[in-house]
Structure formats: structure tokens, C-alpha cells
Amino acid sequence: MLKPDREDILEIDSGFENLMHIGLVANNIKVGVIGAGKASLIKTKTFLKAGCEVEVLSPRFDIGFRRLRCECLKLKKGKFHKSFLNDKHIIVIGVSNKKLEKRIIWHCKRLNKLYLVCSDYKLGNLRLGAQERTDEFVFSLSINRGNPKLSKYLTPKVLNFLQTFAMFCKWATDLREKLKHHPQKDQILEFVCSDDFYYFFKKGYANKVIKLFYEDV
């Protein structure tokens, strides 16, 4: 019997909750928010800022929601019904009634929805990290054991570090687009995305070094 190659054996990350960040194409994502409390308002603003389409369902809305002005926002007055979940990719559960909360979670699980529970993030299968974006970067930061204020504090520090690579990021991404149909694309990008090449980039020799090794670029 053949033994599997060690390199083919996947080792599962045993970290807390196995957090995994994904990048959503926000303008293709529909979000349903159930409840119109403070936590729901914060999550609604986050998704709207990213470009998601958001529909909020609640028997009543406070001034914070009524002040929001966005073409991607719809406020729906009423009580929860499972049909509200049907056309949504992500559900934010922000209700104070624990019995209703459990019922919504049950429906979300049954329909395989991504859902976030405002009362306790451990009850959901989705967490929102602190996020930041620039012309060159988009990133999200979460603390494994849950600490939103710390994530928010650290995010600008991470951004400051990333910004030192902004010019290199733009140059390398422009190069990648230029190499779209080049037969050695992967090899060249592997060469460029390295500490050694970044050293020459900082010295102003990036284009010369590329031409030295790859004349047809």
C-alpha cells in the first residue's frame, strides 16, 4: 500500500476558532440586518462603507438609522420571518429577545448562511475584523480570542508599516499586469517578490535589474 507524501498531508490549524479572513467582492454581497440597536447600526455602517447592499429589518428604527443616507440601504419595518433570509449572503443578528435570536440562528444554519450574532460573536460563524484600505492595500485585523478595541488600536500601526511598501506594491502590480501573457510570468514575479529584489527597488535599480535578467520585459 502506497504511503502518502508528507507534503500532501494537511495539518489543520489548531488556533482559537480557526479564524480565516476572506476577501468579499462587496458590491455583489447582500446583507440582512435583523434588529436596529447600536451594535446593528455599527455593523450596518461597516457593510455600507464597503459597498454592500444592506436591508435592515426591525419593528422600529432610532434616529441613527434614519440619518443614514445611502442608495444601498433599505429599511424594512416589521417582525422577523424566515423569508427575509432567502436572498441574503450574510445575516447580522442584533435582537435582544434570546428566544428569537436562537430561532434566527437555527434558520441561518439550516440555510447555510454566514451570520454574525451581535450579543455574542462566539454564537456566529462570522466575525468582522478592523479594516483599512488604501489605493494599494485592503486588510483586516482580528484578535484570535476577541478584542475589537485592540484590533482598532493596532490597525493604523499595521497600515503605517504597509504604507512603506506602497510604491513597491504599485510598481510590482503594474508589472504583473504587463506580464499577463508573458511565458515566464510566474518566474519573474517570484523573482520580484523577494527581499533581495526589494533592496534594489529601494536603491532605484528595479527596472535595470529586471532587464538584466529578463531582456524582453
Side-chain angles (χ1 to χ4, degrees):
M1 184 174 179
L2 292 175
K3 294 183 179 180
D5 191 325
R6 283 296 306 173
E7 293 183 358
D8 292 333
I9 299 177
L10 295 178
E11 294 185 3
I12 305 301
D13 183 1
S14 60
F16 186 81
E17 294 184 327
N18 290 341
L19 276 181
M20 173 184 172
H21 282 195
I22 59 175
L24 298 174
V25 182
N27 56 321
N28 291 332
I29 298 297
K30 293 184 178 181
V31 179
V33 180
I34 306 167
K38 181 180 178 182
S40 293
L41 179 60
I42 292 172
K43 300 298 187 295
T44 296
K45 289 179 178 179
T46 298
F47 282 114
L48 286 175
K49 185 178 179 181
C52 298
E53 183 179 327
V54 183
E55 183 175 2
V56 186
L57 174 66
S58 179
R60 52 191 170 275
F61 296 91
D62 62 28
I63 192 66
F65 277 95
R66 294 198 297 270
R67 284 176 176 170
L68 291 178
R69 295 290 181 268
C70 181
E71 293 181 356
C72 296
L73 174 65
K74 179 180 179 181
L75 301 181
K76 184 176 182 179
K77 192 171 183 178
K79 296 182 178 180
F80 170 74
H81 189 275
K82 65 180 181 181
S83 62
F84 177 77
L85 308 176
N86 290 343
D87 63 340
K88 312 298 191 305
H89 301 102
I90 295 174
I91 303 298
V92 175
I93 305 171
V95 298
S96 57
N97 185 313
K98 290 298 180 183
K99 186 176 180 179
L100 175 58
E101 181 183 84
K102 288 182 179 179
R103 183 158 69 93
I104 299 171
I105 291 173
W106 186 86
H107 284 301
C108 286
K109 288 181 178 179
R110 183 169 169 269
L111 295 171
N112 295 316
K113 299 291 182 180
L114 289 172
Y115 61 97
L116 184 158
V117 183
C118 294
S119 67
D120 185 352
Y121 71 87
K122 294 178 183 178
L123 297 177
N125 61 9
L126 171 70
R127 279 169 58 182
L128 285 180
Q131 299 179 46
E132 190 59 79
R133 66 179 60 236
T134 70
D135 289 341
E136 302 300 333
F137 305 107
V138 178
F139 74 93
S140 178
L141 177 66
S142 294
I143 306 301
N144 261 347
R145 290 182 293 154
N147 194 333
K149 290 189 181 298
L150 181 57
S151 296
K152 188 175 180 180
Y153 167 70
L154 293 175
T155 295
K157 298 183 181 300
V158 175
L159 177 61
N160 286 339
F161 172 73
L162 288 176
Q163 285 290 60
T164 63
F165 294 91
M167 291 180 62
F168 178 61
C169 181
K170 183 181 185 310
W171 184 89
T173 304
D174 288 344
L175 176 65
R176 182 179 184 274
E177 293 175 358
K178 180 181 177 181
L179 296 173
K180 187 173 183 179
H181 302 293
H182 196 287
Q184 292 179 290
K185 173 187 171 184
D186 291 342
Q187 180 182 333
I188 296 170
L189 291 177
E190 189 76 25
F191 173 69
V192 165
C193 298
S194 65
D195 288 339
D196 289 339
F197 187 86
Y198 182 59
Y199 170 83
F200 288 111
F201 176 85
K202 289 191 295 181
K203 296 293 184 180
Y205 300 137
N207 292 322
K208 290 182 179 180
V209 172
I210 281 287
K211 289 293 183 182
L212 180 64
F213 287 90
Y214 302 97
E215 295 179 359
D216 60 340
V217 175

